[in-house]
């Protein structure tokens, strides 16, 4: 027997992401942000990043090394000032089980060797801007301690430890003594700074990819828990919004959470990000259709194809199901699959829009200023209609004024460019 009906699922998703619900969530989000900034218990870590907002005039060359999800990326980036950039090709390598489930030495050894392939031993000095996109409590622009892993990584010996030190040791071990890690950054301040380098109205950076999170610019006087370095008036805060949990969870959300490596944590992330969307749809579909086994169903390959299917008989939905050995489906079956995939993705996009709205209204409740939101991540860039739903929801929440004052942009290569900008501002605040 199915544990829930299609009718129930549809009404659940519509209710939890209705306009009035989103407005309620935004209010709670503000309270959590405030508590986090005061250093009180909150689901939002609100981490001061030691990175000051860029002016667009920053200059300098950096090697950016980026550990984001389960991939490593590196490239050389040169900022030429006035929004101009010269960047080398991106080198990419996927991390294996040894790195993502093994010991810290394995992970950082691999990162060090990867950096080595871009550094010339002849260079007297190689400035590295390191992007490490997990919840890190920063203690300086180039120091920080991992609070917990997310996105399914469970490497031992990293949580509770200082990240730059781990990487520095690994670099020294292979004799790369000319490399200096000048900055440590999350991908969200990088998205913000990359947007800001070309648009001075940019004050929020968002990632909607394997994981999800955002960073924004806050007045230092509001960050009660933090003793700011002298002369700093504004600081970029890494919200770590993926951990927000004041949300109504469906049975499928609870099931997914129970099966995850970080139970009870990252509740919003588990409803929004690419790592989990396919899993939610899978759990729901298997709950409705006895005997269906959709093991391996994911957002990138399967949900995307289903969402794009505009054929009359839902031929692509049929093809996806056949891949899982589910043959002879009726058109009704396929319609249900398509609608469930749509509901899961729509909730994700609407929650993303609500979170963005909450961040904007935290600093500018009546939209007096213009805001550019720099968004990156595969879900935002590639999932059909995801960005359009976000735009529509923001308009639904703000009315016409939202359309006038808020611009949501996709910033290409935001992580590497933003990290170089952070490397450059790091030189200013030391
Ligand atoms: C991490 C954040 C990161 C986000 C997007 C989350 O799982 O906790 O630090 O910014 O993923 O990569």
């Amino acid at each position: 027997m199915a544990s829930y009906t299609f009718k129930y699922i549809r009404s659940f998703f519509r209710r939890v992401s209705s306009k009035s619900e989103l407005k309620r969530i935004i209010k709670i989000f503000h309270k959590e942000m405030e508590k986090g900034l005061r250093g009180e218990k909150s689901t939002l870590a609100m981490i001061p990043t030691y990175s000051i907002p860029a002016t667009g005039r920053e200059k300098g060359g950096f090697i950016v090394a980026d550990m984001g999800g389960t991939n490593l990326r590196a490239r050389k980036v040169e900022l030429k000032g006035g929004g101009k950039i010269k960047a080398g090709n991106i080198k990419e390598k996927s991390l294996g089980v040894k790195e993502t489930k093994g010991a810290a030495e394995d992970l950082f050894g691999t990162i060090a060797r990867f950096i080595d392939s871009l550094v010339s031993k002849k260079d007297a000095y190689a400035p590295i801007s390191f992007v490490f996109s997990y919840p890190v409590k920063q203690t300086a622009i180039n120091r920080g301690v991992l609070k917990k892993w997310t996105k399914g990584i469970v490497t031992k010996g990293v949580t509770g430890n200082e990240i730059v030190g781990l990487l520095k040791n690994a670099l020294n071990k292979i004799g790369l003594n000319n490399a200096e890690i000048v900055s440590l950054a999350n991908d969200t301040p990088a998205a913000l700074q990359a947007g800001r380098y070309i648009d001075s109205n940019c004050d929020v950076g968002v990632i909607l990819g394997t994981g999800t999170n955002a960073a924004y610019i806050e007045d230092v006087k509001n960050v009660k828990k933090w003793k700011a370095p002298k002369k700093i008036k504004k600081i970029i805060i890494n919200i770590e919004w993926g951990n927000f949990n004041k949300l109504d969870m469906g049975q499928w959300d609870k099931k997914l959470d129970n099966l995850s490596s970080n139970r009870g944590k990252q509740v919003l992330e588990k409803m929004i990000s690419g790592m989990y969307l396919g899993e939610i749809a899978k759990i729901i579909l298997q709950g409705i259709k006895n005997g269906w086994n959709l093991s391996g169903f994911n957002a990138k390959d399967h949900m995307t194809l289903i969402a794009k299917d505009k054929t009359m008989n839902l031929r692509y939905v049929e093809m996806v199901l056949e891949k899982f050995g589910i043959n002879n489906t009726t058109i009704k079956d396929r319609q249900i699959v398509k609608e469930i995939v749509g509901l899961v993705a729509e909730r994700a996009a609407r929650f993303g829009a609500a979170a963005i709205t909450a961040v904007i209204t935290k600093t500018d409740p009546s939209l007096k200023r213009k805001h550019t939101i720099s968004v990156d991540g595969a879900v935002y860039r590639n999932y059909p209609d995801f960005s359009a739903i976000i735009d529509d929801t923001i308009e639904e929440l703000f009315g016409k004024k939202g359309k006038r004052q808020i611009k949501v942009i996709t910033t290409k290569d935001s992580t590497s460019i933003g990290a170089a900008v952070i490397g450059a501002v790091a030189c200013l605040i030391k």
Side-chain angles (χ1 to χ4, degrees):
M1 260 298 281
S3 45
Y4 27 77
T5 62
F6 176 57
K7 226 172 120 195
Y8 168 76
I9 294 162
R10 185 197 273 152
S11 75
F12 176 90
F13 275 92
R14 295 225 168 119
R15 178 175 57 78
V16 296
S17 59
S18 64
K19 185 175 171 183
S20 60
E21 260 307 289
L22 297 188
K23 286 196 159 167
R24 197 184 65 84
I25 291 170
I26 291 168
K27 276 198 190 136
I28 305 174
F29 205 96
H30 283 157
K31 291 206 176 104
E32 290 290 289
M33 288 178 91
E34 297 288 2
K35 281 199 275 176
L37 288 175
R38 288 196 297 263
E40 292 165 17
K41 196 165 177 289
S42 167
T43 58
L44 301 177
M46 307 297 287
I47 302 165
T49 62
Y50 290 78
S51 180
I52 52 173
T55 58
R57 293 188 296 272
E58 291 74 13
K59 286 186 179 169
F62 298 88
I63 294 166
V64 176
D66 160 29
M67 176 179 171
T70 48
N71 274 342
L72 273 183
R73 290 196 189 92
R75 80 190 308 194
K76 287 185 180 165
V77 178
E78 200 186 330
L79 305 172
K80 294 184 165 290
K84 290 200 197 72
I85 298 148
K86 188 176 154 204
N89 291 335
I90 300 186
K91 276 192 63 161
E92 194 158 359
K93 174 185 168 60
S94 59
L95 293 170
V97 176
K98 193 173 84 163
E99 287 90 7
T100 57
K101 302 206 181 334
E105 293 72 36
D106 293 317
L107 171 62
F108 286 92
T110 301
I111 301 177
R113 283 190 298 279
F114 193 61
I115 292 176
D116 187 38
S117 62
L118 271 183
V119 175
S120 161
K121 292 261 176 353
K122 283 183 278 163
D123 290 341
Y125 172 67
I128 314 284
S129 189
F130 186 42
V131 182
F132 186 75
S133 304
Y134 303 90
V136 166
K137 182 174 188 295
Q138 293 209 220
T139 50
I141 187 83
N142 62 350
R143 285 185 82 74
V145 172
L146 178 68
K147 287 156 67 89
K148 61 176 189 191
W149 279 121
T150 57
K151 297 180 272 200
I153 313 269
V154 291
T155 316
K156 290 164 219 61
V158 190
T159 307
N161 286 321
E162 202 282 307
I163 299 306
V164 173
L166 289 173
L167 180 55
K168 188 83 196 134
N169 285 344
L171 290 167
N172 290 343
K173 240 186 198 164
I174 59 167
L176 206 62
N177 301 321
N178 56 344
E180 185 189 333
I181 302 151
V182 294
S183 66
L184 170 70
N186 185 262
D187 50 3
T188 53
L192 193 164
Q193 296 283 45
R196 216 177 151 76
Y197 198 60
I198 49 170
D199 178 344
S200 58
N201 287 330
C202 181
D203 53 3
V204 184
V206 176
I207 300 288
L208 288 162
T210 309
T212 187
N213 186 17
Y216 76 108
I217 299 173
E218 183 58 273
D219 288 333
V220 164
K221 64 175 186 337
N222 294 333
V223 194
K224 298 279 185 273
K225 66 178 173 187
W226 186 56
K227 197 169 174 317
K230 264 195 204 131
K231 287 195 201 145
I232 295 188
K233 297 273 176 286
K234 294 204 181 263
I235 194 72
I236 297 178
I237 299 287
N238 168 11
I239 302 172
E240 284 296 334
W241 79 18
N243 195 46
F244 183 75
N245 73 358
K246 312 288 175 216
L247 299 161
D248 217 338
M249 289 167 92
Q251 298 169 45
W252 39 86
D253 299 311
K254 291 181 186 152
K255 190 160 178 189
L256 176 137
D257 184 50
N258 267 323
L259 295 170
S260 69
S261 61
N262 53 351
R263 244 193 248 180
K265 309 262 164 53
Q266 301 294 105
V267 173
L268 179 65
E269 177 157 278
K270 286 172 182 160
M271 295 181 184
I272 292 194
S273 80
M275 177 153 176
Y276 304 101
L277 290 181
E279 206 56 25
I280 300 171
K282 181 191 93 175
I283 294 171
I284 299 176
L285 289 169
Q286 291 184 164
I288 303 186
K289 290 283 176 191
N290 258 323
W292 278 17
N293 181 349
L294 294 166
S295 167
F297 186 87
N298 65 51
K300 181 168 166 270
D301 306 308
H302 310 117
M303 281 177 74
T304 302
L305 196 57
I306 291 170
K308 276 188 188 157
D309 193 347
K310 302 272 187 300
T311 65
M312 225 149 62
N313 51 359
L314 297 180
R315 176 69 195 116
Y316 292 96
V317 179
E318 187 175 30
M319 266 165 51
V320 170
L321 293 171
E322 280 169 3
K323 271 198 195 140
F324 292 93
I326 301 162
N327 301 311
N328 306 321
T329 50
T330 62
I331 182 75
K332 181 105 185 87
D333 287 335
R334 301 199 287 274
Q335 276 163 352
I336 287 180
V337 171
K338 187 163 162 79
E339 191 163 344
I340 284 174
V341 160
L343 289 169
V344 171
E346 192 177 350
R347 178 182 67 167
R350 287 180 67 83
F351 279 6
I356 291 174
T357 304
V359 176
I360 299 171
T361 48
K362 159 75 178 67
T363 57
D364 184 13
S366 49
L367 281 194
K368 291 207 177 93
R369 286 178 278 123
K370 285 200 182 298
H371 301 267
T372 299
I373 320 298
S374 164
V375 192
D376 204 350
V379 172
Y380 182 79
R381 272 191 274 109
N382 307 330
Y383 196 87
D385 298 332
F386 208 87
S387 57
I389 300 174
I390 290 190
D391 287 346
D392 291 350
T393 312
I394 291 179
E395 198 181 332
E396 186 181 325
L397 290 164
F398 279 115
K400 288 274 167 285
K401 197 167 184 188
K403 212 170 182 149
R404 267 200 322 274
Q405 299 293 73
I406 300 167
K407 192 162 87 184
V408 185
I409 59 166
T410 328
T411 316
K412 201 170 162 279
D413 298 332
S414 72
T415 304
S416 57
I417 291 162
V421 176
I422 292 172
V425 300
C427 305
L428 302 176
I429 64 168
K430 257 188 194 162

